[in-house]
Amino acid sequence: MAQVHPTAVVHPGARLHDTVEVGPFSVIGPQVVIGAGTRIGPHVVIEGRTTLGERNHLFQFCSVGAAPQDLKYAGEDTELVIGDENQIREFVTVNLGTVAGGGATRLGHRNLLLANSHIAHDCIVGNEVLLANGAALAGHVTVEDAVKISGLVAVHQFTRLGRYAFISGGSMVTMDVPPYCTVQGDRATLVGLNTVGLERGGFTEEQIGRVKEAYRILFRSKLGLQEALAQLRGELSGHPEVEHLVRFVETSKRGVTR
């Protein structure tokens, strides 16, 4: 049996693995599924159709799976899916999806959500993402792997953050942030590459060199965007790190931060 503190309230319909721990005064709803090795601290609320994977750690006072903060939401059967080995710190809020946004909010593996951060409805968050204190993702935001979002950042709805991007503290992000890039300011603008993140992520010197050249062509040359993309396809095609950047820019709907 799961180790449930006597003061916790766990609905009989909830499904908890035998190795789950639930702390004092926590509340777990009827549609919740929690995987092996997950620890639920005191005063945590998990509700809605929420699935938690294995070895997650939810700290005190966080709220996971609550109804979306969307006036159009009328109680539809939507869900929140969270992967493995995530840390969800104090006062974090993660909401269910909405029908209009595909019906699900999704969070991958090994993410760190620091105190008071927020993930709204229909967000898709990858793996090894950091949301620092007070960072907030509006609805329908997509965050690729290994993005670092500093404190007090606000990300506009429907925005995408590319893999290994770094968002500086206090930034207001209203357009897509290209992979590998660093942005800052209100409204956020490009200030360079996240080379430290790339090095820590295991990119080789050759890969980082190609990313630097792609950045130069896209954002520091006098070429128009389509001309720059064509030059990248001609000169640096066949390299996955550059092809990912090109696809990201080509598929942007909100426009790319420059």
Side-chain angles (χ1 to χ4, degrees):
M1 295 290 291
Q3 300 178 43
V4 179
H5 192 275
T7 61
V9 179
V10 179
H11 192 281
R15 290 186 288 156
L16 278 60
H17 189 273
D18 290 347
T19 57
V20 169
E21 301 176 16
V22 181
F25 303 106
S26 288
V27 178
I28 298 177
Q31 295 180 289
V32 174
V33 178
I34 304 178
T38 293
R39 292 182 289 163
I40 310 299
H43 299 279
V44 172
V45 177
I46 308 175
E47 53 189 315
R49 184 152 61 92
T50 295
T51 301
L52 285 156
E54 299 182 353
R55 299 179 299 283
N56 294 290
H57 189 182
L58 280 63
F59 288 74
Q60 56 268 28
F61 303 109
C62 65
S63 172
V64 174
Q69 299 176 99
D70 184 337
L71 293 174
K72 299 184 297 297
Y73 181 73
E76 298 89 351
D77 183 24
T78 55
E79 66 178 331
L80 167 64
V81 180
I82 296 176
D84 303 332
E85 298 179 354
N86 297 287
Q87 293 190 55
I88 301 178
R89 297 298 307 233
E90 300 83 354
F91 302 102
V92 169
T93 51
V94 187
N95 293 155
L96 298 172
T98 66
V99 171
T105 303
R106 300 186 183 275
L107 180 66
H109 310 302
R110 299 177 299 282
N111 298 294
L112 176 56
L113 313 182
L114 296 186
N116 295 287
S117 58
H118 172 65
I119 297 177
H121 58 87
D122 305 301
C123 286
I124 307 297
V125 179
N127 306 315
E128 299 179 1
V129 170
L130 167 67
L131 265 72
N133 301 72
L137 307 182
H140 311 277
V141 169
T142 297
V143 183
E144 296 184 344
D145 294 346
V147 174
K148 301 297 182 281
I149 303 172
S150 303
L152 304 176
V153 166
V155 181
H156 195 283
Q157 60 185 359
F158 294 102
T159 300
R160 298 184 302 157
L161 308 181
R163 64 194 296 252
Y164 288 94
F166 183 90
I167 318 300
S168 298
S171 297
M172 301 290 108
V173 181
T174 59
M175 302 177 74
D176 292 351
V177 176
Y180 323 124
C181 292
T182 295
V183 300
Q184 69 179 32
D186 180 6
R187 299 305 193 244
T189 57
L190 286 182
V191 294
L193 284 170
N194 180 23
T195 52
V196 172
L198 295 177
E199 291 169 358
R200 291 175 177 173
F203 282 63
T204 65
E205 290 185 13
E206 291 77 14
Q207 288 174 314
I208 294 174
R210 287 191 289 267
V211 169
K212 287 180 177 179
E213 178 62 11
Y215 181 90
R216 185 193 66 78
I217 293 170
L218 272 175
F219 303 117
R220 291 291 180 261
S221 70
K222 295 182 180 180
L223 296 173
L225 182 60
Q226 295 307 317
E227 292 176 289
L229 290 171
Q231 183 171 333
L232 285 180
R233 285 191 292 267
E235 296 181 4
L236 294 170
S237 63
H239 299 291
E241 64 279 359
V242 177
E243 290 183 348
H244 182 82
L245 175 61
V246 170
R247 285 195 302 271
F248 185 96
V249 174
E250 286 179 329
T251 56
S252 176
K253 295 180 180 179
R254 288 194 59 81
V256 174
T257 303
R258 305 295 291 273

